[in-house]
Amino acid sequence: MKNQSITNNLDWICIIIYGLLVLMGWLNIYSSSLSSTEGTYEKQLIFIALTIPLIFIILSVDGKFYEKYASIFFGISLLSLAGLFVAGKTIAGQRCWYAIGSFTLQPSEFAKAATALALAKYLSDSQIHLKDVNRQIQALIIVFLPVMLILPQPDPGSALIYSIFIIILYREGLPSWYVWTGFLTILLFVLTLIMQPQYVIILALVTLVFVHFKSRLSERNIALSSILFVLISSFVLSVNYVFTHVFKQHHRDRFNILLGKSVDTKGIGYNTNQSEIAIGSGGWFGKGFLEGTQTKGGFVPEQHTDYIFTTVGEEWGFIGSLFVIGLFVGLFLRIIYLAERQKTKFSRVYGYCVAGILFIHFFVNIAMVLGIFPTIGVPLPFFSYGGSGLWGFTILLFIFIKMDANKVNEW
């Protein structure tokens, strides 16, 4: 392969949007932590500076390198997650970090890119067809291995992110019933928390009977529908037990507040309540940079991390928030466009993984600060404070940018 400049064929639209998001993220971190004595915005500036050599390293390596060593990257990521149980540092009840001097490193942020590479590598094999049950199981094992190591930390927010890979697998041929099963499970879970279990079971029965007569199903399908009804009923009857005995109290409180079953604006619901006040007070054009009263008063806990979007809403208003959202949506659409024009299945699948991971982070975080999703600790890509998150998202994105730049080359 001929020597080429690392800037050849790079997609500058993605890079410019990335730069704008990182810059705007730092400005909001600066605003939300200005009164802090922990040097938060100074540390984030160091993290941002360190992304520059990181990006040059990623772009200096041939794009095919990431496909060749995808399995090794995945194996290293699993080892780093497993190592937390031995050498991890516990912060706020979570054993998610390695302590390196005064800095901490969260391996789950890097495992997302490694999992995306491993999944793309597996699916790019010409012999892989997701209509085969064995292949489906193998693909799902790749997704769930890091999840099984992340959940016990415990870090349900990071584990939730991996659900987006099911959509990627569906895009590549996974039967649709996997997606519908997941959607139905969530719907039944929420309905059972809102309604009495017997009413949910009756609703399920009526729905199945309606589908039967509407579709004129055969006797064989009647038997399948009966089995499905038994499974649904069993699941519904188990929800309250799981909710009471498996979920921790703060998880139960967050769901109850979200579903309107309880109000706690001074306890577990304090963050969400203050977040809604801050965003709502911004109006159309915001109060101005460094002029947010909720932000300056420190009323929103963890505002520089998971709740960073509240600073945007308060100081930049609806128009500023819409601009930030527009940048994110533009980045997602651009990545999907680039993924569709890739010449290899590996690059295309990885591109969709990148778009999916960034999107679910964005969606859950915004929904969380708006009070329409439980607080589970999911950062806003390129915006929230933290070196691990920033570097993890940067690696994720720029590996794909490099792949796209090399798409003219043959494997």
Side-chain angles (χ1 to χ4, degrees), residues 122 171 201 262 267 273 291:
Y122 179 76
R171 167 68 176 75
I201 293 174
S262 65
N273 183 59
E291 297 299 325

Side-chain angles (χ1 to χ4, degrees), residues 41-322:
Y41 62 87
E42 293 100 328
K43 289 181 181 179
Q44 187 70 7
L45 198 57
I46 295 174
F47 298 150
I48 292 172
L50 290 175
T51 62
I52 297 175
L54 179 62
I55 290 170
F56 273 94
I57 292 171
I58 294 171
L59 297 181
S60 65
V61 178
D62 188 85
K64 294 176 287 188
F65 170 85
Y66 301 107
E67 179 176 2
K68 184 176 181 180
Y69 295 103
S71 299
I72 294 177
F73 293 139
F74 185 58
I76 292 173
S77 73
L78 293 179
L79 288 174
S80 68
L81 290 171
L84 289 170
F85 298 106
V86 178
K89 180 179 181 180
T90 301
I91 301 176
Q94 293 181 310
R95 200 177 183 87
C96 303
W97 296 268
Y98 289 108
I100 305 173
S102 60
F103 292 96
T104 55
L105 200 66
Q106 187 173 3
S108 63
E109 295 295 345
F110 305 97
K112 298 163 192 172
T115 305
L117 287 171
L119 192 62
K121 175 68 173 177
Y122 179 76
L123 295 177
S124 63
D125 188 327
S126 60
Q127 303 301 316
I128 299 299
H129 300 286
L130 287 179
K131 299 299 181 184
D132 186 330
V133 175
N134 289 330
R135 298 302 189 184
Q136 294 170 16
I137 294 173
Q138 291 168 6
L140 290 172
I141 286 175
I142 293 174
V143 174
F144 285 111
L145 275 176
V147 172
M148 299 310 293
L149 291 172
I150 291 171
L151 276 175
Q153 294 177 3
D155 188 4
S158 293
L160 174 67
I161 299 304
Y162 286 79
S163 63
I164 197 65
F165 287 112
I166 303 300
I167 305 299
I168 308 303
L169 290 172
Y170 170 69
R171 167 68 176 75
E172 296 302 319
L174 188 72
S176 60
W177 70 264
Y178 281 94
V179 178
W180 284 110
T181 299
F183 174 77
L184 183 62
T185 300
I186 295 171
L187 179 62
L188 289 172
F189 183 84
V190 173
L191 284 177
T192 307
L193 293 181
I194 297 174
M195 306 164 57
Q196 292 295 323
Q198 59 267 30
Y199 296 139
V200 179
I201 293 174
I202 292 172
L203 181 62
L205 177 61
V206 171
T207 302
L208 289 172
V209 170
F210 174 79
V211 170
H212 167 69
F213 285 105
K214 189 72 175 177
S215 305
R216 298 179 181 178
L217 299 178
S218 64
E219 291 184 3
R220 178 187 174 188
N221 285 324
I222 292 176
L224 291 176
S225 296
S226 300
I227 294 173
L228 180 59
F229 175 70
V230 172
L231 292 174
I232 289 175
S233 300
S234 300
F235 174 77
V236 169
L237 292 173
S238 70
V239 166
N240 284 328
Y241 177 84
V242 172
F243 187 70
T244 304
H245 296 91
V246 177
F247 280 39
K248 293 186 177 181
Q249 184 60 47
H250 63 277
H251 292 146
R252 294 197 294 270
D253 291 339
R254 286 168 182 169
F255 269 101
N256 287 332
I257 290 171
L258 180 66
L259 298 174
K261 298 177 69 174
S262 65
V263 178
D264 183 11
T265 59
K266 294 183 179 181
I268 197 73
Y270 178 80
N271 288 28
T272 301
N273 183 59
Q274 293 299 321
S275 172
E276 293 173 353
I277 291 173
I279 292 176
S281 67
W284 282 95
F285 301 102
K287 298 175 180 177
F289 183 56
L290 303 180
E291 297 299 325
T293 53
Q294 294 290 114
T295 298
K296 291 172 67 176
F299 290 103
V300 184
E302 304 300 328
Q303 190 170 10
H304 59 292
T305 55
D306 299 340
Y307 282 84
I308 189 66
F309 193 74
T310 61
T311 310
V312 179
E314 182 178 28
E315 297 191 347
W316 299 14
F318 177 79
I319 300 301
S321 300
L322 197 61

Side-chain angles (χ1 to χ4, degrees), residues 374-395:
T375 301
I376 54 173
V378 173
L380 186 61
F382 315 120
F383 250 74
S384 294
Y385 169 79
S388 297
L390 177 61
W391 297 333
F393 290 127
T394 298
I395 291 170

